[in-house]
Amino acid sequence: MSFFLQFMIDVLSLGGAYALMALGLVIVYGILRLVNFAYGELIMVAGYTMYLTSGSGLPWLVMAAVAVLMAIMAGIATDYIAFRPVRAKSVTAVLITSFAFSTLLQNAALLFISPRPRNVPLPEIFSETVQFAGVITPARNLITIATAVVMLGLFSWLMRHTVLGIAMRAAATNFTMARMLGVPANLIISSAFAISGLLAGVVSMLWIGRVGAVVPGVGLEPLLIAFIATVIGGMRSLQGAVLGGFLLAFMDITLNFTLPQDLLKFRDAFTFSLVILILLWRPQGLIRGPASGQRT
Amino acid sequence: MARNLTTIAVLSGLILVMVVATNLLGVRLFDRLAINLCISLVLVLGLQVFMGNSGILSFAHIGFMGIGAYTTAVLTIPVRMKGMSLPDLYPIVAGIELSPYVAILVGGLTAAAVAAVVSYPLMRLSDAAAVITSFALLVVLHTVMTHWSEVTNGPRTLFGLPRATDLNLAAGTAILAIVAAVAFKESRAGLLLRSSRDDEVAAGAMGAHIPRLRWQAFILSALFAGIGGALWGHFITSFSPKAFFLKETFVILGMLVIGGASTVTGAVFGAIIVTVTFESLRALEAGINQAKIFSEQVIGLTEIVLALAMIVVLVLRPGGLFATQEIGALLWRRARKKEDR
Amino acid sequence: MLEIAGLQVAYGAIRAVRDVSLTLAEGELVTLLGANGAGKSSTLMCIAGALPAAAGAIRLEGQDVTAARPEVMARRGVATVPETRDVFPDLTVDENLQLGAYTRRNDTKGVAEDRTRMFGMFPVLAERSSQPAGTLSGGEQQMLVIARAMMSRPRILLLDEPSLGLAPTIVNRIFEMIATLKGSGLTILLVEQNASKALEVADRAYVMRLGKIEAEGTAAEIAAATDLKALYLAG
Ligand SMILES: Nc1ncnc2c1ncn2[C@@H]1O[C@H](COP(=O)(O)OP(=O)(O)OP(=O)(O)O)[C@@H](O)[C@H]1O
Ligand SMILES: [Mg+2]
């Protein structure tokens, strides 16, 4: 029983983080058909903001809020620098500019900060452990679960009950029709990037909180995780992305328990082969998203 | 035909001029730069063969470069050194020691063979699915390189490759690559593939089996990448899997995008421009670091410049410097105009 | 109210609209007729701002809107019902209507009133209000798209083949509805294949062929011109 509970906590906390990562990627992909390679760098930006503000003596929550804000700004910058100028051109061009923007941010961190890990401040509670019902777990895991629940709830409320959210869902299926109803394209695009940044910023606090340090390449793993979760969940479905995140966490943790050590190191090779197979079988991802749609 | 020959002549001529000049000058630094450039050329042309003709972005290319490099490493590291560089190597291959020239070819063929096997089903995908699968393929190849210790020495540096790549070999290969890239582009397969890039339905109606054509281009592209990787291995003589991942992908892609993916001329000029700029910036970085102007090492400047250049080119000149016409066609047109006058 | 002069629209090398000039006065119902591929939908989508004009000018109340983006046209009171019957399939009927009122989303009271009015006009939609729009039948979707367009309280309504693929009884309902809308003073540009029906409700008509306006006149004149019927009008 306590093993089961432990397992559930592990899956839910890892899955919660994965789900948020995937959601941040899919909100942009679903609406703009852009695979945003610079997504991982939004997480990096939030991490470095924490490092840079660490000497300020501000309460941790304030620093975290500033960091999330910076991730949002970086998201909007992605729109203005990498997306908007080339959006009318080819799909390939947009992919390449987002890849270039990712490299740009990473190397800016290398150049202006350092290639070496930098410590970020963590609140006390992140390093404490909690004991209940026969399980011992880091408090961080419970915080992650709680944050994921709150963020997913907030996100779902935004998408269902605000005009902006409804307009974004509409734009994901038929951007032109949404515009013909008066929904401004630029508002939708910037909102998608801003929400992506918000999710990345929050994930960053949880993700970087696991190790307490940030390096320029910190965004790669979350990006890869978001890719896999998104592909599992059907590349254009928001619910699918969340489900994909939890499924991936379940798979990862199960593999951790069951796979022998010398195969475990090939785990990425397995999961990415799985991604390829899924895409071959269903190029739209496992779960079908909105039926039709086109680019702007 | 004359135009294609002119293109080949001009582009190969550039390389020959560079070889002669380097030999006359006899400066070690230029030698290194010229070899680097020729190897980059082989890699970029490989990517051009696939991306330029099919119009599909591929991230997997550098993975095949890695396959070429590791294949030739296993086959050429002297038997007495293998105990040190590859302690866990399977006994069957441990006794092999081929000539690097043979092994470079085998490296290319191995990359092509792997590409042929894994890529066929991927070729019917397009758009985001194609991009993500190629990215996933790169991650798979990278993971295998990083962890298959028996063959690659794992994430650690693999050393002991004989230094076999000199300027003549690199330049010769680059010229062959130019000829092959032009020949493929102008072949029936290349023409059909290029028309599919603009209009998949119409090309299909002309009787083209598009996934098959893409597959052919992909295999050829992997052959280039494998040979390029093997050449590089015998130039640098020690490397680790890190050399075959996103950073390198970015550089090669940058060369192609800046030069113009649709033309061989673009690939060649992109490689030249980026290599020269890169080396200058690297020298600048090294100079700054040596002078200890800043407390931290200056790194990343080159990538930042390249990233900015790529974005600017894609915004202002989406097709790159040579967007549609090869240099041969451009020169002929100019000659024609002069006659008219 | 709306003036179009020398309009051209192209899809790459295909020139779908070669030369279209037409006018639409306030409160008028004008129909644009023509065979398949004549360029009617392209004309309409270009007016709506969803397609760029290759040449020519579009003026709305004297102001040039040739290059206006679709959201700007919507804000200026032009509502569009495209031929492709674009409901947002995963949004509920209610959400679809709510988006229709996007341009006046701050007028909550007025929007609520209009919603009730639309549900009065289309009782089916009221029954299905919390159902995803993708699950509606073709006719119901058509009603939803028209209702959605009306939610913005437009001054000009662009309607593209509202009768397409619908059963005759529903077609009749839709045309009754169009007549009601016209009665309320709305300016309407109606693209139709079903010429006889369209000419019954229209004030004036234009006939298009191969991207050009081939004939124009009052609805009665066009209806009476038998030569035109044989040439361009299907049905
Ligand atoms: N997206 C497109 N790409 C290329 N050509 C197009 C496109 N849309 C329409 N066309 C072409 O433009 C021409 C005019 O099309 P349009 O849809 O405007 O005609 P229409 O008069 O509305 O016909 P219908 O009565 O069948 O709806 C046609 O020849 C059509 O094939
Ligand atoms: Mg039409």
Side-chain angles (χ1 to χ4, degrees):
Chain A
M1 184 59 211
S2 75
F3 169 79
F4 178 73
L5 194 60
Q6 182 86 54
F7 182 82
M8 282 308 289
I9 291 176
D10 287 353
V11 169
L12 288 179
S13 67
L14 194 64
Y18 285 8
L20 296 180
M21 289 173 193
L23 207 50
L25 190 71
V26 91
I27 182 86
V28 169
Y29 181 76
I31 295 177
L32 309 172
R33 302 297 105 80
L34 162 68
V35 181
N36 183 10
F37 284 100
Y39 178 58
E41 277 58 48
L42 305 183
I43 291 173
M44 180 202 82
V45 164
Y48 277 111
T49 310
M50 286 303 271
Y51 158 68
L52 291 173
T53 52
S54 62
S56 65
L58 292 169
W60 186 84
L61 271 178
V62 176
M63 287 193 285
V66 174
V68 172
L69 199 68
M70 285 304 289
I72 295 176
M73 307 277 273
I76 296 175
T78 317
D79 174 19
Y80 277 89
I81 296 171
F83 185 69
R84 207 165 284 197
V86 280
R87 119 170 112 107
K89 290 163 188 152
S90 71
V91 190
T92 312
V94 182
L95 285 167
I96 297 175
T97 48
S98 89
F99 187 37
F101 191 61
S102 147
T103 308
L104 184 71
L105 288 177
Q106 251 187 63
N107 284 281
L110 269 178
L111 181 63
F112 296 113
I113 300 175
S114 168
R116 283 190 294 276
R118 287 292 183 233
N119 288 330
V120 295
L122 295 179
E124 288 286 298
I125 192 167
F126 265 55
S127 40
E128 282 164 15
T129 53
V130 188
Q131 191 171 1
F132 66 95
V135 288
I136 305 175
T137 186
R140 213 184 46 226
N141 282 354
L142 301 180
I143 295 173
T144 306
I145 296 176
T147 313
V149 168
V150 171
M151 289 304 291
L152 293 177
L154 188 71
F155 184 80
S156 146
W157 174 82
L158 176 80
M159 295 311 274
R160 308 213 157 269
H161 297 285
T162 65
V163 180
L164 178 66
I166 296 172
M168 291 179 80
R169 279 160 57 217
T173 42
N174 191 336
F175 209 135
T176 311
M177 189 62 233
R179 295 180 72 181
M180 286 195 290
L181 295 178
V183 178
N186 287 340
L187 173 75
I188 295 298
I189 296 170
S190 291
S191 306
F193 277 102
I195 294 175
S196 177
L198 170 70
L199 290 163
V202 172
V203 161
S204 178
M205 297 302 105
L206 303 170
W207 192 247
I208 291 176
R210 293 155 56 111
V211 284
V214 55
V215 286
V218 72
L220 180 61
E221 202 184 341
L223 176 72
L224 297 182
I225 291 167
F227 268 161
I228 307 171
T230 313
V231 168
I232 294 177
M235 303 210 291
R236 300 184 37 206
S237 148
L238 299 171
Q239 294 97 320
V242 173
L243 190 65
F246 283 104
L247 274 176
L248 178 63
F250 177 77
M251 227 161 63
D252 271 4
I253 289 177
T254 313
L255 286 179
N256 274 347
F257 276 119
T258 52
L259 223 55
Q261 267 308 312
D262 48 341
L263 279 184
L264 194 58
K265 58 191 185 186
F266 288 103
R267 197 183 69 191
D268 277 358
F270 288 123
T271 35
F272 276 91
S273 304
L274 182 71
V275 163
I276 296 176
L277 290 177
I278 291 177
L279 281 175
L280 283 175
W281 176 42
R282 296 182 76 151
Q284 301 298 314
L286 263 192
I287 299 168
R288 282 271 147 80
S292 66
Q294 68 259 85
R295 288 169 40 82
T296 40
Chain B
M1 194 62 207
R3 290 169 181 215
N4 297 333
L5 288 178
T6 315
T7 304
I8 291 175
V10 171
L11 297 179
S12 316
L14 275 175
I15 294 177
L16 286 176
V17 168
M18 184 182 73
V19 171
V20 171
T22 317
N23 282 332
L24 285 180
L25 284 170
V27 184
R28 278 285 311 275
L29 175 72
F30 287 147
D31 205 42
R32 199 178 61 81
L33 201 153
I35 295 177
N36 252 329
L37 173 56
C38 290
I39 295 172
S40 299
L41 259 176
V42 176
L43 293 168
V44 178
L45 285 167
L47 190 58
Q48 195 277 333
V49 164
F50 181 70
M51 239 182 92
N53 292 303
S54 74
I56 296 176
L57 181 57
S58 168
F59 279 102
H61 198 64
I62 294 298
F64 293 103
M65 174 191 177
I67 294 180
Y70 278 111
T71 306
T72 194
V74 167
L75 298 177
T76 61
I77 294 178
V79 172
R80 67 199 147 68
M81 280 190 71
K82 275 190 177 139
M84 259 195 314
S85 354
L86 284 170
D88 303 324
L89 188 61
Y90 306 112
I92 317 170
V93 273
I96 299 179
E97 187 180 329
L98 292 183
S99 143
Y101 306 106
V102 179
I104 288 172
L105 205 60
V106 177
L109 291 174
T110 310
V114 173
V117 173
V118 299
S119 73
Y120 189 73
L122 307 186
M123 293 297 129
R124 62 190 167 79
L125 299 178
S126 36
D127 296 338
V131 174
I132 297 183
T133 47
S134 78
F135 194 84
L137 186 54
L138 177 67
V139 176
V140 171
L141 292 174
H142 182 74
T143 312
V144 171
M145 278 185 248
T146 314
H147 295 292
W148 195 7
S149 309
E150 287 81 357
V151 176
T152 65
N153 200 26
R156 294 168 299 274
T157 302
L158 174 63
F159 55 89
L161 279 82
R163 194 172 196 288
T165 305
D166 57 13
L167 183 52
N168 292 340
L169 177 63
T173 316
I175 290 174
L176 278 180
I178 291 173
V179 175
V182 173
F184 182 79
K185 189 181 167 207
E186 302 302 332
S187 70
R188 187 178 144 75
L191 282 170
L192 283 172
L193 203 51
R194 276 187 286 145
S195 59
S196 83
R197 180 185 62 191
D198 304 323
D199 189 344
E200 200 164 317
V201 182
M206 280 156 68
H209 186 305
I210 295 158
R212 172 99 113 278
L213 294 173
R214 284 182 188 158
W215 185 55
Q216 291 168 355
F218 197 82
I219 295 173
L220 186 60
S221 155
L223 176 71
F224 280 39
I227 290 178
L231 278 177
W232 184 75
H234 287 292
F235 170 59
I236 201 97
T237 71
S238 62
F239 51 81
S240 72
K242 275 204 299 257
F244 312 108
F245 206 34
L246 291 173
K247 195 169 168 180
E248 194 63 22
T249 301
F250 178 70
V251 175
I252 298 295
L253 195 61
M255 293 176 176
L256 190 57
V257 165
I258 289 174
S262 310
T263 61
V264 178
T265 312
V268 172
F269 276 89
I272 295 176
I273 293 169
V274 172
T275 306
V276 171
T277 321
F278 245 58
E279 292 292 331
S280 328
L281 285 170
R282 282 265 155 76
L284 179 71
E285 275 182 5
I288 296 175
N289 286 336
Q290 218 138 51
K292 295 212 164 35
I293 300 175
F294 303 104
S295 58
E296 289 273 355
Q297 290 260 316
V298 174
I299 47 168
L301 187 61
T302 41
E303 280 80 9
I304 292 181
V305 172
L306 179 59
L308 285 175
M310 276 167 81
I311 294 177
V312 168
V313 166
L314 281 171
V315 173
L316 299 180
R317 228 187 132 90
L321 298 178
F322 293 84
T324 47
Q325 293 207 301
E326 299 288 353
I327 188 127
L330 289 172
L331 291 176
W332 275 85
R333 209 177 51 190
R334 181 170 299 177
R336 172 96 33 92
K337 262 193 198 141
K338 264 207 191 113
E339 267 171 37
D340 288 351
R341 229 176 268 155
Chain C
M1 189 164 197
L2 186 72
E3 278 170 71
I4 293 155
L7 188 71
Q8 295 186 20
V9 179
Y11 301 93
I14 303 170
R15 290 170 60 209
V17 177
R18 288 150 187 268
D19 181 16
V20 166
S21 302
L22 56 82
T23 59
L24 200 56
E26 178 128 34
E28 205 177 22
L29 197 172
V30 170
T31 179
L32 185 57
L33 306 172
N36 291 115
K40 307 178 298 291
S41 300
S42 305
T43 305
L44 203 78
M45 292 308 267
C46 182
I47 299 174
L51 284 177
I58 304 171
R59 269 185 299 276
L60 183 62
E61 292 168 325
Q63 281 184 351
D64 184 72
V65 290
T66 317
R69 284 167 290 147
E71 52 262 43
V72 173
M73 291 306 282
R75 229 176 294 145
R76 290 182 148 231
V78 177
T80 313
V81 175
E83 174 179 31
T84 35
R85 209 172 285 159
D86 293 311
V87 298
F88 299 115
D90 0 85
L91 270 56
T92 64
V93 169
D94 231 348
E95 286 170 335
N96 268 279
L97 290 178
Q98 200 179 340
L99 270 191
Y102 185 87
T103 49
R104 44 194 281 263
R105 58 195 176 286
N106 295 327
D107 172 20
T108 26
K109 206 168 132 260
V111 172
E113 277 170 25
D114 282 4
R115 179 171 167 273
T116 322
R117 212 154 53 81
M118 288 306 148
F119 282 160
M121 210 186 276
F122 304 101
V124 220
L125 296 183
E127 278 165 39
R128 307 276 149 93
S129 68
S130 54
Q131 195 172 312
T135 61
L136 298 183
S137 76
E140 290 161 352
Q141 291 193 9
Q142 188 65 58
M143 294 176 204
L144 175 58
V145 183
I146 295 175
R148 187 178 65 188
M150 294 310 298
M151 287 296 289
S152 66
R153 290 204 184 154
R155 288 178 309 143
I156 298 183
L157 181 64
L158 308 176
L159 272 177
D160 197 348
E161 300 202 34
S163 68
L164 189 72
L166 299 182
T169 49
I170 304 185
V171 171
N172 288 339
R173 288 258 310 281
I174 300 248
F175 274 98
E176 277 164 29
M177 241 256 323
I178 294 173
T180 318
L181 292 177
K182 173 180 154 51
S184 71
L186 186 65
T187 312
I188 302 175
L189 179 60
L190 171 68
V191 165
E192 257 306 333
Q193 289 268 340
N194 191 336
S196 52
K197 279 270 170 208
L199 290 170
E200 273 172 32
V201 290
D203 298 316
R204 288 190 303 118
Y206 291 86
V207 180
M208 258 184 103
R209 201 175 86 100
L210 301 176
K212 289 182 177 160
I213 298 283
E214 222 37 21
E216 62 173 291
T218 62
E221 283 166 15
I222 297 287
T226 42
D227 54 328
L228 282 179
K229 224 179 240 165
L231 269 174
Y232 314 125
L233 308 184

